[in-house]
mmCIF file of all heavy atoms in Angstrom:
data_model
loop_
_atom_site.group_PDB
_atom_site.id
_atom_site.type_symbol
_atom_site.label_atom_id
_atom_site.label_comp_id
_atom_site.label_asym_id
_atom_site.label_seq_id
_atom_site.Cartn_x
_atom_site.Cartn_y
_atom_site.Cartn_z
ATOM 1 N N TYR B 280 42.226 -31.097 -27.627
ATOM 2 C CA TYR B 280 41.758 -31.674 -26.368
ATOM 3 C C TYR B 280 40.754 -32.800 -26.549
ATOM 4 O O TYR B 280 39.564 -32.554 -26.700
ATOM 5 C CB TYR B 280 41.175 -30.569 -25.487
ATOM 6 C CG TYR B 280 42.274 -29.664 -25.051
ATOM 7 C CD1 TYR B 280 42.580 -28.514 -25.770
ATOM 8 C CD2 TYR B 280 43.077 -30.009 -23.967
ATOM 9 C CE1 TYR B 280 43.645 -27.717 -25.403
ATOM 10 C CE2 TYR B 280 44.136 -29.217 -23.593
ATOM 11 C CZ TYR B 280 44.421 -28.071 -24.312
ATOM 12 O OH TYR B 280 45.474 -27.303 -23.950
ATOM 13 N N PRO B 281 41.229 -34.032 -26.493
ATOM 14 C CA PRO B 281 40.325 -35.173 -26.690
ATOM 15 C C PRO B 281 39.227 -35.245 -25.626
ATOM 16 O O PRO B 281 38.159 -35.784 -25.895
ATOM 17 C CB PRO B 281 41.259 -36.386 -26.603
ATOM 18 C CG PRO B 281 42.522 -35.896 -25.994
ATOM 19 C CD PRO B 281 42.624 -34.440 -26.302
ATOM 20 N N ASN B 282 39.477 -34.686 -24.446
ATOM 21 C CA ASN B 282 38.477 -34.773 -23.377
ATOM 22 C C ASN B 282 37.576 -33.552 -23.296
ATOM 23 O O ASN B 282 36.827 -33.382 -22.335
ATOM 24 C CB ASN B 282 39.172 -34.993 -22.034
ATOM 25 C CG ASN B 282 39.886 -36.327 -22.024
ATOM 26 O OD1 ASN B 282 39.345 -37.324 -22.503
ATOM 27 N ND2 ASN B 282 41.119 -36.342 -21.527
ATOM 28 N N SER B 283 37.654 -32.690 -24.299
ATOM 29 C CA SER B 283 36.788 -31.508 -24.333
ATOM 30 C C SER B 283 35.353 -31.916 -24.669
ATOM 31 O O SER B 283 35.088 -33.058 -25.049
ATOM 32 C CB SER B 283 37.294 -30.550 -25.416
ATOM 33 O OG SER B 283 37.254 -31.219 -26.682
ATOM 34 N N SER B 284 34.428 -30.982 -24.541
ATOM 35 C CA SER B 284 33.023 -31.236 -24.906
ATOM 36 C C SER B 284 32.926 -31.726 -26.341
ATOM 37 O O SER B 284 32.170 -32.654 -26.638
ATOM 38 C CB SER B 284 32.210 -29.949 -24.760
ATOM 39 O OG SER B 284 32.300 -29.456 -23.450
ATOM 40 N N LEU B 285 33.674 -31.106 -27.224
ATOM 41 C CA LEU B 285 33.644 -31.518 -28.629
ATOM 42 C C LEU B 285 34.276 -32.903 -28.789
ATOM 43 O O LEU B 285 33.734 -33.775 -29.473
ATOM 44 C CB LEU B 285 34.400 -30.501 -29.505
ATOM 45 C CG LEU B 285 34.394 -30.793 -31.003
ATOM 46 C CD1 LEU B 285 32.981 -30.753 -31.573
ATOM 47 C CD2 LEU B 285 35.275 -29.788 -31.748
ATOM 48 N N GLY B 286 35.431 -33.088 -28.153
ATOM 49 C CA GLY B 286 36.133 -34.371 -28.250
ATOM 50 C C GLY B 286 35.261 -35.532 -27.796
ATOM 51 O O GLY B 286 35.254 -36.607 -28.409
ATOM 52 N N LYS B 287 34.493 -35.283 -26.746
ATOM 53 C CA LYS B 287 33.700 -36.377 -26.156
ATOM 54 C C LYS B 287 32.564 -36.852 -27.055
ATOM 55 O O LYS B 287 32.185 -38.017 -26.989
ATOM 56 C CB LYS B 287 33.138 -35.933 -24.803
ATOM 57 C CG LYS B 287 34.175 -36.030 -23.684
ATOM 58 C CD LYS B 287 33.580 -35.523 -22.376
ATOM 59 C CE LYS B 287 34.643 -35.367 -21.298
ATOM 60 N NZ LYS B 287 34.181 -34.451 -20.236
ATOM 61 N N ILE B 288 31.993 -35.953 -27.847
ATOM 62 C CA ILE B 288 30.871 -36.403 -28.686
ATOM 63 C C ILE B 288 31.329 -36.811 -30.080
ATOM 64 O O ILE B 288 30.521 -37.229 -30.901
ATOM 65 C CB ILE B 288 29.765 -35.334 -28.801
ATOM 66 C CG1 ILE B 288 30.265 -34.093 -29.538
ATOM 67 C CG2 ILE B 288 29.209 -34.967 -27.428
ATOM 68 C CD1 ILE B 288 29.121 -33.175 -29.926
ATOM 69 N N ALA B 289 32.635 -36.721 -30.339
ATOM 70 C CA ALA B 289 33.121 -37.017 -31.688
ATOM 71 C C ALA B 289 33.098 -38.516 -31.983
ATOM 72 O O ALA B 289 33.414 -39.334 -31.114
ATOM 73 C CB ALA B 289 34.537 -36.480 -31.847
ATOM 74 N N ASP B 290 32.717 -38.863 -33.208
ATOM 75 C CA ASP B 290 32.857 -40.240 -33.670
ATOM 76 C C ASP B 290 34.280 -40.478 -34.159
ATOM 77 O O ASP B 290 34.796 -41.586 -34.079
ATOM 78 C CB ASP B 290 31.865 -40.493 -34.811
ATOM 79 C CG ASP B 290 30.433 -40.307 -34.358
ATOM 80 O OD1 ASP B 290 29.919 -41.198 -33.666
ATOM 81 O OD2 ASP B 290 29.848 -39.243 -34.651
ATOM 82 N N TYR B 291 34.860 -39.427 -34.704
ATOM 83 C CA TYR B 291 36.241 -39.492 -35.173
ATOM 84 C C TYR B 291 36.985 -38.315 -34.569
ATOM 85 O O TYR B 291 36.536 -37.176 -34.672
ATOM 86 C CB TYR B 291 36.310 -39.404 -36.699
ATOM 87 C CG TYR B 291 35.502 -40.471 -37.375
ATOM 88 C CD1 TYR B 291 34.231 -40.196 -37.875
ATOM 89 C CD2 TYR B 291 36.004 -41.763 -37.504
ATOM 90 C CE1 TYR B 291 33.481 -41.185 -38.489
ATOM 91 C CE2 TYR B 291 35.261 -42.754 -38.114
ATOM 92 C CZ TYR B 291 34.004 -42.463 -38.607
ATOM 93 O OH TYR B 291 33.260 -43.438 -39.215
ATOM 94 N N LEU B 292 38.117 -38.622 -33.990
ATOM 95 C CA LEU B 292 38.867 -37.601 -33.275
ATOM 96 C C LEU B 292 40.234 -37.475 -33.928
ATOM 97 O O LEU B 292 40.885 -38.486 -34.190
ATOM 98 C CB LEU B 292 39.009 -38.082 -31.831
ATOM 99 C CG LEU B 292 39.551 -37.165 -30.768
ATOM 100 C CD1 LEU B 292 38.620 -35.977 -30.545
ATOM 101 C CD2 LEU B 292 39.672 -37.959 -29.462
ATOM 102 N N VAL B 293 40.665 -36.245 -34.213
ATOM 103 C CA VAL B 293 42.058 -36.039 -34.602
ATOM 104 C C VAL B 293 42.652 -35.048 -33.617
ATOM 105 O O VAL B 293 42.217 -33.890 -33.559
ATOM 106 C CB VAL B 293 42.195 -35.506 -36.041
ATOM 107 C CG1 VAL B 293 43.670 -35.271 -36.361
ATOM 108 C CG2 VAL B 293 41.579 -36.473 -37.039
ATOM 109 N N VAL B 294 43.605 -35.501 -32.833
ATOM 110 C CA VAL B 294 44.216 -34.642 -31.821
ATOM 111 C C VAL B 294 45.489 -34.020 -32.372
ATOM 112 O O VAL B 294 46.410 -34.729 -32.779
ATOM 113 C CB VAL B 294 44.534 -35.433 -30.535
ATOM 114 C CG1 VAL B 294 45.172 -34.511 -29.496
ATOM 115 C CG2 VAL B 294 43.265 -36.067 -29.978
ATOM 116 N N LEU B 295 45.495 -32.695 -32.415
ATOM 117 C CA LEU B 295 46.679 -31.960 -32.837
ATOM 118 C C LEU B 295 47.195 -31.196 -31.640
ATOM 119 O O LEU B 295 46.607 -30.187 -31.257
ATOM 120 C CB LEU B 295 46.320 -30.983 -33.964
ATOM 121 C CG LEU B 295 45.716 -31.600 -35.230
ATOM 122 C CD1 LEU B 295 45.328 -30.500 -36.211
ATOM 123 C CD2 LEU B 295 46.687 -32.569 -35.886
ATOM 124 N N PRO B 296 48.279 -31.647 -31.031
ATOM 125 C CA PRO B 296 48.768 -30.941 -29.844
ATOM 126 C C PRO B 296 49.067 -29.498 -30.195
ATOM 127 O O PRO B 296 49.536 -29.200 -31.298
ATOM 128 C CB PRO B 296 50.055 -31.676 -29.477
ATOM 129 C CG PRO B 296 50.127 -32.887 -30.333
ATOM 130 C CD PRO B 296 49.186 -32.713 -31.461
ATOM 131 N N GLY B 297 48.791 -28.628 -29.290
ATOM 132 C CA GLY B 297 49.055 -27.217 -29.571
ATOM 133 C C GLY B 297 48.338 -26.377 -28.560
ATOM 134 O O GLY B 297 47.194 -26.622 -28.235
ATOM 135 N N ARG B 298 49.034 -25.405 -28.043
ATOM 136 C CA ARG B 298 48.442 -24.497 -27.081
ATOM 137 C C ARG B 298 47.304 -23.747 -27.767
ATOM 138 O O ARG B 298 47.387 -23.387 -28.939
ATOM 139 C CB ARG B 298 49.537 -23.514 -26.673
ATOM 140 C CG ARG B 298 49.143 -22.533 -25.621
ATOM 141 C CD ARG B 298 50.428 -21.849 -25.186
ATOM 142 N NE ARG B 298 50.127 -20.584 -24.526
ATOM 143 C CZ ARG B 298 49.847 -19.480 -25.195
ATOM 144 N NH1 ARG B 298 49.819 -19.449 -26.489
ATOM 145 N NH2 ARG B 298 49.581 -18.373 -24.513
ATOM 146 N N VAL B 299 46.222 -23.529 -27.056
ATOM 147 C CA VAL B 299 45.075 -22.831 -27.632
ATOM 148 C C VAL B 299 44.794 -21.543 -26.883
ATOM 149 O O VAL B 299 45.333 -21.311 -25.815
ATOM 150 C CB VAL B 299 43.818 -23.727 -27.661
ATOM 151 C CG1 VAL B 299 44.053 -24.904 -28.605
ATOM 152 C CG2 VAL B 299 43.459 -24.201 -26.270
ATOM 153 N N LYS B 300 43.928 -20.735 -27.444
ATOM 154 C CA LYS B 300 43.802 -19.364 -26.952
ATOM 155 C C LYS B 300 43.256 -19.247 -25.546
ATOM 156 O O LYS B 300 43.401 -18.215 -24.917
ATOM 157 C CB LYS B 300 42.960 -18.520 -27.901
ATOM 158 C CG LYS B 300 41.503 -18.837 -27.895
ATOM 159 C CD LYS B 300 40.731 -17.768 -28.641
ATOM 160 C CE LYS B 300 39.264 -18.148 -28.628
ATOM 161 N NZ LYS B 300 38.994 -19.422 -29.295
ATOM 162 N N THR B 301 42.592 -20.301 -25.050
ATOM 163 C CA THR B 301 42.019 -20.189 -23.708
ATOM 164 C C THR B 301 43.012 -20.525 -22.599
ATOM 165 O O THR B 301 42.703 -20.394 -21.437
ATOM 166 C CB THR B 301 40.803 -21.125 -23.576
ATOM 167 O OG1 THR B 301 41.188 -22.409 -24.067
ATOM 168 C CG2 THR B 301 39.633 -20.618 -24.390
ATOM 169 N N GLU B 302 44.201 -20.967 -22.987
ATOM 170 C CA GLU B 302 45.186 -21.319 -21.981
ATOM 171 C C GLU B 302 46.081 -20.145 -21.626
ATOM 172 O O GLU B 302 46.499 -19.390 -22.503
ATOM 173 C CB GLU B 302 46.112 -22.429 -22.499
ATOM 174 C CG GLU B 302 45.410 -23.727 -22.761
ATOM 175 C CD GLU B 302 46.357 -24.685 -23.425
ATOM 176 O OE1 GLU B 302 46.723 -24.429 -24.588
ATOM 177 O OE2 GLU B 302 46.747 -25.650 -22.784
ATOM 178 N N SER B 303 46.422 -20.049 -20.366
ATOM 179 C CA SER B 303 47.520 -19.161 -20.016
ATOM 180 C C SER B 303 48.790 -20.000 -20.136
ATOM 181 O O SER B 303 48.744 -21.216 -20.314
ATOM 182 C CB SER B 303 47.355 -18.650 -18.591
ATOM 183 O OG SER B 303 47.583 -19.699 -17.698
ATOM 184 N N THR B 304 49.921 -19.348 -20.076
ATOM 185 C CA THR B 304 51.169 -20.080 -20.244
ATOM 186 C C THR B 304 51.331 -21.156 -19.172
ATOM 187 O O THR B 304 51.864 -22.227 -19.413
ATOM 188 C CB THR B 304 52.368 -19.102 -20.212
ATOM 189 O OG1 THR B 304 52.097 -18.063 -21.138
ATOM 190 C CG2 THR B 304 53.661 -19.791 -20.602
ATOM 191 N N THR B 305 50.800 -20.877 -17.987
ATOM 192 C CA THR B 305 51.069 -21.798 -16.873
ATOM 193 C C THR B 305 50.313 -23.113 -16.933
ATOM 194 O O THR B 305 50.817 -24.133 -16.497
ATOM 195 C CB THR B 305 50.760 -21.113 -15.525
ATOM 196 O OG1 THR B 305 49.453 -20.539 -15.624
ATOM 197 C CG2 THR B 305 51.781 -20.030 -15.222
#
Side-chain angles (χ1 to χ4, degrees):
Chain B
Y280 292 93
N282 296 318
S283 60
S284 302
L285 182 63
K287 280 178 190 160
I288 65 167
D290 299 284
Y291 303 100
L292 189 65
V293 178
V294 180
L295 301 176
R298 183 169 160 280
V299 295
K300 72 168 179 299
T301 48
E302 296 173 292
S303 71
T304 309
T305 50

